[in-house]
Every structure is written in C-alpha cells, then in structure tokens.
C-alpha cells in the first residue's frame, strides 16, 4: 500500500468517526416519544381486531422500565412493541384477501 | 355538430368499455354458497382420511390415532365429564327464583336440541349460539348470566349435548343476506391467519389434523364442535366452545376477542353448518 493510500485511509477513518453520533443514554423524553409511537400502532392493531399478545406484553415491559427509570430499556422495549404492532397491522391488511388461498373449495 | 356527436359517442363507448374492464365480474367462486362449501369441506376430509368412518370425525384426535382411541374408549367407562354432566342435569331442572326453568326458554323443553345450535335469528339479524341462548334465558328470568368460559356454562351445555347424542347436526341458513354474510364472515375468520405465530384455525385443523403439535394430536376441523363441551386433561376441567376459541387465539399469540363476539358466533355458525349430518357426540373428553 502506498503512503498516499495510507494517508487517505486514515483520513477517511477520521471523517467517518467524526460523523458517527456520540453514544448517549436515553432520557425520559426519548422514552415518552417511543412509547407514544408504539401506543398509536398498538391502538390501530387493536382497532383492526388483530392485536398480538406480545405487543401488549412488550408495551407493558416498556412502561415498567420507564416507570423504574431505565430509559434505555424502556426505549428498546417500546420500539420492539411498535415493530410488533406494525407487523400485526401488515398481517391484518394482507389477510383481507390472503385468507382465500387457504380455503377448501 | 355531427363530428361532436360522434366524438361523444366514441368517448361514451370507450368509457363503457373501461368501466366493464375495471369492475371485476362476479364469478361463481365469489358467490356465497354454503351448501357447496359444506360439500367441499366434507369431501376434503373424507378424501384425506379414507379409512376414518364419517361419523367418527366428531371424535377428534381419537379418529386419527388408534392407540389414543383405545385409551379413550377405556376412559369412557368412567368419563371425566360425568361430574359436570350430573351438575348440568341438576342445574337444568332447578327452577329460577321466579319458578321458571331453562326448559321454558327452549323448544322441546331444551331436550335433544343441541344439533340445531347455533341458529340465525332473523329478528336480531345475528347468530345465536347455545351458550348465548342459555345466558339470555337466565337474564330474561332475572338471573345473572354465567361466565362463558367457566364450569357452570360447561355443565349446562354438557347436559344439553348429552340429551342430543347421536342426532345429526342440523344447522339452517335462512334465505336472508345477513345469514349468508354471517356464514361468510365465519368462514373468513376460520381461514384468516392471526397472532405472532401467523396461524389460522385452518393451519392446525385443516392442514395438519392427525399430526402432533408438541404432545397433542390435532383434531380435524370437520365435526370439531359436535363434541363440545369437552373435558380437557390439559385444563383439568371442562371447557365451553367460548373457552376453546379463546384458548386457540392465545396459543397463536393473538389477543382473544370477548366471549360471544360476533366473529366467534359466526365461526361457530360456519363450523357447525359444514358438519351438518355428523352426529352430536358431546360432552367429549380430550387429552
């Protein structure tokens, strides 16, 4: 590897490291935002009569962690609950037609 | 003028063609035809399990596995649902505070009528299940309704099923678009995947009857309600149809609906109708 290439590589690594966001602990506001987003998706799934038990339990875990001051844990659980709720919405939407594929005719 | 008329005619013609292409034609497959559905449903199971006698499908997993069947036949000497049956008989005969009994609420005094439930109530425009009719009877006579998932309801339905044993399921679908809609909704519910495990009722009871799921042998969907209510060893107690639906939902990690929700009433209507002709065998016993 030439000296010029080595210099470019070092510069590129420095540039990348300067762009990476600094790791910081989640705070209460992060938790509340994540929880609110999860709750919206969960309510939509419930309105479609297609709530998953895991969405409910993960949302409860997020609240428990948030109430206990573990905001990192609370944000992670809330995001997971939101993902679960969104997956159940996708399922309910696709099944509006997809169920016919399983029908005995 | 002539040019504009011909232009208008041309546009109208094109619009009609476009409309005809855009609106999906109603094919025979889209028409609600319960009789054809029931025929196809039964044919599917009879073909899939050619060695099972048709009336034996109502015995669920025992119709699929000879060893289990022998164990069950031994158990039937002293059936685990007997206590429930005795309690149900007594409850059925005990008058309400106003002096009336359940017999006053049902045709033929409630004896030998299980095979006609659920039915479509044209006044209400909805499906009425036996469990629902029993609670309505209680409320009409000033009594508090029973829980749909607990022992009292199981005991009452056990007794009513017992008095109807051997009678062929005989569910009617009146010539009413709401009844056809209820049947169709029930069918859709039965085949729709739900829960995090992405299972429909059919995933287990159409695609895999006779197969094991953990330690259990899955029952065929055909005639699955004819044996209700059931004593389940897994539950160490009796279970109503409501309890069975709710538990099935939970097992797929779906939040169950409230007992006797429209969807549950409709799926009971669908499953009972497609089992028309098969005998009532309840109360049943299951592992």
């Amino acid at each position: 590897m030439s000296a010029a290439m080595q210099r470019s590589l070092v510069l590129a690594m420095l540039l990348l490291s300067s762009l990476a966001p600094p790791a910081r602990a989640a705070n209460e506001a992060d938790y509340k935002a994540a929880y609110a987003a999860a709750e919206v998706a969960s309510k939509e799934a419930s309105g479609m009569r297609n709530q998953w038990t895991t969405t409910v339990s993960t949302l409860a875990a997020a609240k428990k962690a948030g109430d206990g001051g573990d905001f990192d844990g609370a944000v992670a659980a809330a995001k997971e609950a939101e993902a679960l709720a969104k997956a159940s919405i996708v399922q309910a939407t696709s099944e509006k037609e997809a169920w016919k594929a399983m029908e005995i005719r | 003028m002539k040019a504009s008329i011909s232009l208008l005619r041309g546009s109208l013609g094109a619009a009609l063609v476009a409309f005809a292409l855009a609106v999906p034609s109603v094919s025979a497959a889209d028409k609600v035809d319960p009789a054809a559905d029931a025929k196809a449903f039964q044919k599917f199971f009879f073909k899939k399990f050619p060695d099972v006698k048709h009336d034996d499908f109502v015995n669920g997993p025992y119709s699929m596995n000879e060893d289990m069947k022998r164990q069950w036949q031994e158990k039937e000497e002293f059936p685990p649902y007997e206590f429930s049956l005795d309690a149900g008989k007594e409850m059925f005969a005990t008058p309400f505070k106003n002096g009336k009994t359940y017999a006053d609420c049902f045709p033929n005094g409630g004896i030998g009528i299980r095979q006609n439930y659920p039915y479509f109530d044209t006044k209400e425009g909805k499906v009425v299940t036996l469990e629902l009719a029993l609670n309505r009877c209680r409320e009409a006579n000033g009594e508090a309704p029973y829980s749909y998932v607990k022992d009292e309801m199981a005991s009452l339905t056990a007794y009513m099923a017992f008095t109807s044993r051997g009678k062929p399921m005989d569910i009617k679908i009146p010539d009413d678009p709401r009844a056809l809609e209820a049947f169709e909704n029930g069918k859709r519910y039965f085949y729709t995947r739900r829960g995090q495990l992405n299972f429909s009722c059919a995933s287990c009871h159409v695609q895999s009857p006779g197969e094991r799921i953990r330690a259990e042998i899955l029952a065929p969907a055909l005639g699955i309600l004819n044996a209700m209510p059931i004593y389940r060893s897994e539950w160490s107690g009796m279970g109503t149809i409501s309890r069975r639906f709710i538990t099935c939902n939970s097992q797929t990690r779906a939040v169950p609906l409230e007992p006797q929700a429209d969807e549950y009433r409709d799926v009971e209507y669908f499953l009972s109708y497609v089992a028309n002709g098969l005998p009532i065998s309840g109360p049943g016993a299951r592992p």
Side-chain angles (χ1 to χ4, degrees):
Chain A
M1 191 183 284
S2 72
M5 275 178 76
Q6 270 181 348
R7 265 199 310 276
S8 306
L9 196 64
V10 170
L11 277 173
M13 285 172 75
L14 278 172
L15 187 67
L16 274 175
S17 63
S18 69
L19 288 175
R24 68 164 179 84
N27 59 31
E28 191 171 4
D30 297 332
Y31 153 61
K32 284 191 170 165
Y35 189 86
E39 217 173 19
V40 168
S42 164
K43 278 183 181 163
E44 189 181 341
S46 186
M48 296 173 94
R49 316 263 290 160
N50 197 44
Q51 184 73 282
W52 291 356
T53 53
T54 38
T55 306
V56 177
S57 56
T58 313
L59 206 53
K63 189 167 186 334
K64 196 177 172 191
D67 288 347
D70 172 13
F71 297 122
D72 278 341
V75 168
K79 284 186 174 169
E80 190 185 334
E82 186 185 5
L84 288 166
K86 284 186 171 170
S88 70
I89 292 165
V90 168
Q91 181 190 50
T93 308
S94 68
E95 282 299 306
K96 280 179 186 169
E97 285 298 317
W99 69 270
K100 292 175 188 166
M102 219 186 242
E103 186 188 354
I104 297 173
R105 288 172 189 270
Chain B
M1 183 70 184
K2 262 188 181 174
S4 64
I5 288 174
S6 103
L7 190 68
L8 189 69
R9 274 188 185 154
S11 309
L12 201 63
L16 280 170
V17 169
F19 180 73
L21 288 173
V23 176
S25 59
V26 180
S27 68
D30 294 331
K31 205 180 147 208
V32 182
D33 188 347
D37 283 347
K39 197 174 167 189
F41 202 86
Q42 296 196 2
K43 193 175 159 196
F44 171 87
F45 284 97
F46 296 160
K47 202 172 158 193
K48 190 175 172 88
F49 300 101
D51 297 333
V52 175
K53 285 182 189 154
H54 294 182
D55 283 358
D56 204 21
F57 279 97
V58 300
N59 295 318
Y62 308 122
S63 65
M64 309 270 108
N65 183 296
E66 202 49 48
D67 289 345
M68 280 181 78
K69 188 174 201 167
R70 277 200 296 272
Q71 288 176 35
W72 165 61
Q73 282 165 342
E74 291 287 326
K75 264 203 294 189
E76 281 292 291
E77 299 279 326
F78 299 100
Y81 50 75
E82 204 162 25
F83 293 105
S84 177
L85 191 54
D86 290 344
K89 188 175 181 180
E90 198 180 324
M91 286 161 73
F92 198 84
T94 306
F96 301 126
K97 284 185 221 84
N98 66 5
K100 291 193 173 178
T101 64
Y102 291 105
D104 295 310
C105 297
F106 292 94
N108 198 40
I111 303 301
I113 58 162
R114 164 67 185 94
Q115 70 282 358
N116 303 127
Y117 286 81
Y119 70 93
F120 189 81
D121 184 346
T122 47
K123 275 189 199 150
E124 188 190 350
K126 285 189 176 192
V127 171
V128 176
T129 65
L130 185 59
E131 292 169 15
L132 188 63
L134 277 162
N135 262 347
R136 285 184 174 174
C137 175
R138 291 184 58 77
E139 287 177 297
N141 286 290
E143 304 286 333
Y146 283 139
S147 161
Y148 284 107
V149 294
K150 291 194 176 161
D151 288 349
E152 293 92 345
M153 184 58 78
S155 295
L156 281 170
T157 51
Y159 174 64
M160 291 180 81
F162 188 75
T163 67
S164 316
R165 270 194 176 178
K167 295 199 172 191
M169 189 69 96
D170 187 17
I171 306 300
K172 304 272 194 295
I173 298 185
D175 186 17
D176 183 325
R178 296 169 304 171
L180 289 171
E181 196 185 342
F183 175 84
E184 190 68 7
N185 287 343
K187 181 168 81 177
R188 185 172 61 239
Y189 190 86
F190 179 77
Y191 289 111
T192 295
R193 291 177 180 275
R194 59 181 58 81
Q196 193 187 13
L197 299 186
N198 202 32
F199 271 36
S200 71
C201 309
S203 303
C204 287
H205 300 291
V206 170
Q207 292 184 336
S208 315
E211 304 289 333
R212 282 190 185 276
I213 188 161
R214 294 187 177 166
E216 308 291 344
I217 290 198
L218 290 163
L222 179 61
I224 200 165
L225 297 182
N226 295 42
M228 298 302 288
I230 48 169
Y231 179 92
R232 281 210 75 177
S233 305
E234 183 195 337
W235 296 338
S236 298
M238 294 293 290
T240 56
I241 291 176
S242 291
R243 184 174 182 184
R244 182 65 276 187
F245 287 157
I246 285 168
T247 314
C248 276
N249 280 168
S250 304
Q251 284 170 333
T252 67
R253 298 188 189 162
V255 173
L257 306 173
E258 61 280 13
Q260 297 298 317
D262 287 348
E263 292 92 331
Y264 286 156
R265 287 157 73 173
D266 291 347
V267 77
E268 189 176 333
Y269 195 43
F270 166 73
L271 276 172
S272 303
Y273 180 83
V274 296
N276 266 353
L278 297 184
I280 296 295
S281 63
R286 296 287 182 269

